[in-house]
């Protein structure tokens, strides 16, 4: 049976991604000095202004306006004619401390508070309630769905040819979209590629379209996945000069599907950027990816989706759910039991095992948080495969 599936990505100059990167850059600067800080940092941007707000409890000082400008300039908004300039834009801040009611439950997990115990692993309660999903499949070497993997690569390439002046008339804002055709649940060809890139007003549309096919699409999409019926839509409106925060307002956490699996797996709804790792929206989503990836890498299933759920202030997850979509070599229930034996999914253990109290976050804030093996993040390691197989008697 044939079907089509589509995923999108955006470049680091997209307004929402500007905000994600600012929030995570501030988090990085805080966590570098104060690894146990509590950070919930939100950013908005629009024409000529960036606003940073949130709840932050820390012993260190960070120059927020300076950090904002560094990020905006690094992305490439460094002159007024681009519609946004990190040197001259206004920066407004509104930051309070974390609520003491939340801090009470995070500082000491429910298990320790109720039992009067002093177990380090229960010393951090979940920073909020909610559910988080992790996913892996065998479609790509990094065990990610093919559509989102290619969409990210196109956006990274779009940024690369801009910053290296291969295509100097491109500007920072841009999007990609890839439609993959499946036959019997296997990706067999690329049906459609969509790219929209902000550009200088003098750039001619036909030149831009030919250049993007030559310098962005052809080096990125595998040649054997393209055929004479593959469709290309490049700047389909014909003009994309006004972009970035001048063209559209931006907000932290508004690209959840881009950040994860491109819609190929479910999402719990919680954003990542600007949140310290006691927030399970972030840390448990990374852990769920780690678990799912190890299940697939171990040969236990061809695809695996993990759901974790937490109660605020409670260390242990309230549920762990597994779905291998009938690709598992054993029942999903048995895989779930093996996961409980092999992985400690309490926040303290997740933070420890995935080394999350380090300034690693801004580099994740564009081009996806999952599948980023090139960054050396620990949730992409397949270091529990043998333990899982042993727990299942395989």
């Amino acid at each position: 049976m044939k079907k089509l599936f589509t995923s999108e990505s955006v470049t680091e100059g997209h307004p929402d991604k500007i905000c994600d990167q600012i929030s995570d850059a501030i988090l990085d600067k805080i966590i570098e000095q104060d690894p146990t800080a509590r950070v919930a940092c939100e950013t908005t941007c629009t024409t000529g202004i960036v606003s940073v707000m949130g709840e932050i409890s820390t012993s260190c000082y960070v120059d927020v306006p300076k950090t904002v400008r560094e990020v905006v300039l690094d992305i490439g908004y460094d002159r007024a004619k681009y519609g946004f300039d990190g040197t001259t834009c206004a920066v407004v801040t509104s930051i309070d401390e974390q609520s003491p009611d939340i801090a009470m439950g995070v500082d000491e997990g429910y298990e320790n508070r109720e039992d009067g115990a002093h177990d380090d692993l229960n010393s951090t309660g979940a920073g909020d309630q909610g559910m988080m999903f992790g996913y892996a499949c065998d479609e790509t070497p990094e065990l990610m769905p093919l559509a989102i993997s290619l969409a990210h690569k196109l956006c990274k390439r779009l940024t690369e040819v801009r910053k290296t002046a291969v295509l100097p008339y491109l500007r920072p804002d841009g999007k990609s979209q890839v439609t993959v055709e499946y036959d019997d649940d296997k990706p067999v060809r690329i049906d459609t590629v969509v790219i929209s890139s902000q550009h200088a007003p003098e750039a001619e549309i036909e030149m831009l379209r030919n250049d993007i096919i030559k310098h962005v699409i052809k080096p990125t999409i595998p040649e054997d996945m393209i055929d004479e019926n593959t469709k290309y839509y490049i700047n389909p409106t014909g003009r994309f000069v006004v972009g970035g925060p001048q063209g559209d307002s931006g907000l932290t956490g508004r690209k959840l599907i881009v950040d994860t699996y491109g819609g190929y797996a479910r999402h719990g709804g919680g954003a990542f950027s600007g949140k310290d790792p006691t927030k399970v929206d972030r840390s448990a989503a990374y852990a769920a990816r780690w678990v799912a990836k190890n299940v697939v890498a171990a040969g236990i299933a061809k695809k695996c989706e993990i759901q974790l759920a937490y109660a605020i202030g409670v260390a242990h997850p309230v549920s762990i759910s597994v779905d291998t979509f009938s690709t598992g070599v054993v029942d999903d229930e048995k895989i779930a039991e093996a996961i409980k034996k092999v992985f400690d999914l309490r926040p303290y253990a997740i933070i420890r095992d995935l080394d999350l109290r380090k300034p690693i976050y801004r580099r994740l804030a564009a081009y996806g948080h999952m599948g980023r093996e090139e960054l050396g993040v620990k949730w992409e390691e397949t270091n529990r495969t043998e333990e899982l197989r042993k727990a299942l008697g395989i």
Side-chain angles (χ1 to χ4, degrees):
M1 183 180 72
K2 292 186 177 182
K3 67 175 184 179
L4 300 176
F5 190 86
T6 302
S7 294
E8 72 159 349
S9 183
V10 298
T11 66
E12 60 196 55
H14 185 282
D16 294 331
K17 277 291 147 204
I18 296 172
C19 294
D20 285 343
Q21 290 169 93
I22 290 170
S23 293
D24 272 339
I26 292 167
L27 172 63
D28 278 351
K29 293 212 169 181
I30 292 172
I31 216 167
E32 189 173 22
Q33 302 175 67
D34 181 8
T36 60
R38 299 287 163 74
V39 182
C41 180
E42 310 286 347
T43 304
T44 65
C45 66
T46 188
T47 305
I49 187 168
V50 175
S51 299
V52 180
M53 66 207 84
E55 294 76 43
I56 299 175
S57 297
T58 181
S59 59
C60 74
Y61 171 76
V62 168
D63 189 333
V64 172
K66 181 181 178 183
T67 303
V68 169
R69 297 186 192 284
E70 287 173 350
V71 172
V72 174
L73 291 170
D74 181 61
I75 289 168
Y77 289 109
D78 55 5
R79 57 200 70 187
K81 69 178 183 178
Y82 289 0
F84 200 72
D85 182 0
T87 305
T88 59
C89 68
V91 180
V92 178
T93 62
S94 179
I95 296 171
D96 291 315
E97 291 185 338
Q98 183 186 52
S99 160
D101 295 343
I102 295 174
M104 178 176 64
V106 177
D107 291 341
E108 199 68 51
Y110 176 88
E111 294 87 341
N112 279 358
R113 285 181 282 116
E114 291 298 305
D115 299 340
H118 298 285
D119 183 346
D120 282 346
L121 288 165
N122 293 328
S123 64
T124 302
D128 202 351
Q129 71 175 44
M131 64 282 188
M132 302 84 211
F133 288 90
Y135 183 80
C137 63
D138 63 359
E139 292 181 14
T140 62
E142 68 272 25
L143 304 184
M144 286 286 287
L146 181 60
I148 188 66
S149 177
L150 291 177
H152 285 322
K153 288 176 181 177
L154 287 169
C155 278
K156 280 194 271 190
R157 180 63 182 165
L158 203 57
T159 297
E160 182 184 347
V161 297
R162 170 178 63 86
K163 287 188 169 182
T164 58
V166 173
L167 302 180
Y169 57 83
L170 297 185
R171 292 184 177 170
D173 197 358
K175 286 185 170 186
S176 71
Q177 186 171 286
V178 177
T179 301
V180 177
E181 182 179 307
Y182 288 80
D183 193 355
D184 287 336
D185 219 26
K186 294 180 181 179
V188 293
R189 60 180 291 273
I190 303 304
D191 184 79
T192 308
V193 178
V194 182
I195 291 183
S196 294
S197 179
Q198 186 186 12
H199 59 85
E202 64 272 14
E204 295 180 1
I205 186 63
E206 286 308 314
M207 175 185 71
L208 180 146
R209 287 171 174 164
N210 290 332
D211 282 349
I212 285 180
I213 289 174
K214 178 180 177 181
H215 294 288
V216 178
I217 295 174
K218 295 295 186 183
T220 303
I221 304 293
E223 189 175 353
D224 62 351
M225 298 292 285
I226 295 174
D227 60 27
E228 67 278 6
N229 295 315
T230 299
K231 299 178 285 293
Y232 303 108
Y233 296 102
I234 300 167
N235 282 33
T237 65
R239 181 177 170 88
F240 186 3
V241 172
V242 178
Q246 184 187 23
D248 193 8
S249 60
L251 176 65
T252 298
R254 202 158 56 181
K255 285 289 175 282
L256 306 181
I257 301 305
V258 170
D259 287 343
T260 52
Y261 309 101
Y264 207 77
R266 286 172 285 191
H267 196 293
F272 302 153
S273 290
K275 296 179 180 178
D276 75 81
T278 66
K279 278 74 171 174
V280 284
D281 277 344
R282 174 168 230 156
S283 54
Y286 294 163
R289 162 64 179 170
W290 182 39
V291 174
K293 187 171 184 179
N294 273 268
V295 169
V296 175
I300 295 166
K302 291 183 177 296
K303 56 178 71 175
C304 179
E305 184 181 77
I306 304 292
Q307 187 204 51
L308 306 176
Y310 292 84
I312 187 168
V314 180
H316 287 85
V318 298
S319 71
I320 301 172
S321 175
V322 176
D323 189 348
T324 62
F325 308 93
S326 302
T327 69
V329 299
V330 297
D331 292 342
D332 291 351
E333 184 180 355
K334 291 181 179 178
I335 298 172
E337 290 302 316
I339 287 167
K340 292 174 186 177
K341 294 176 183 176
V342 173
F343 294 90
D344 190 335
L345 295 169
R346 289 174 283 183
Y348 181 99
I350 292 171
I351 292 167
R352 175 198 66 198
D353 293 342
L354 300 184
D355 207 9
L356 296 179
R357 294 201 188 276
K358 288 187 175 180
I360 59 173
Y361 297 108
R362 190 212 151 172
R363 56 190 181 151
L364 291 160
Y367 314 116
H369 294 246
M370 312 304 176
R372 301 297 298 279
E373 293 181 343
E374 79 279 9
L375 298 181
V377 291
K378 289 189 175 291
W379 55 93
E380 293 300 321
E381 294 181 356
T382 53
N383 54 356
R384 299 287 176 93
T385 56
E386 290 305 315
E387 290 176 71
L388 278 171
R389 291 174 64 85
K390 184 177 179 181
L392 287 165
I394 299 175

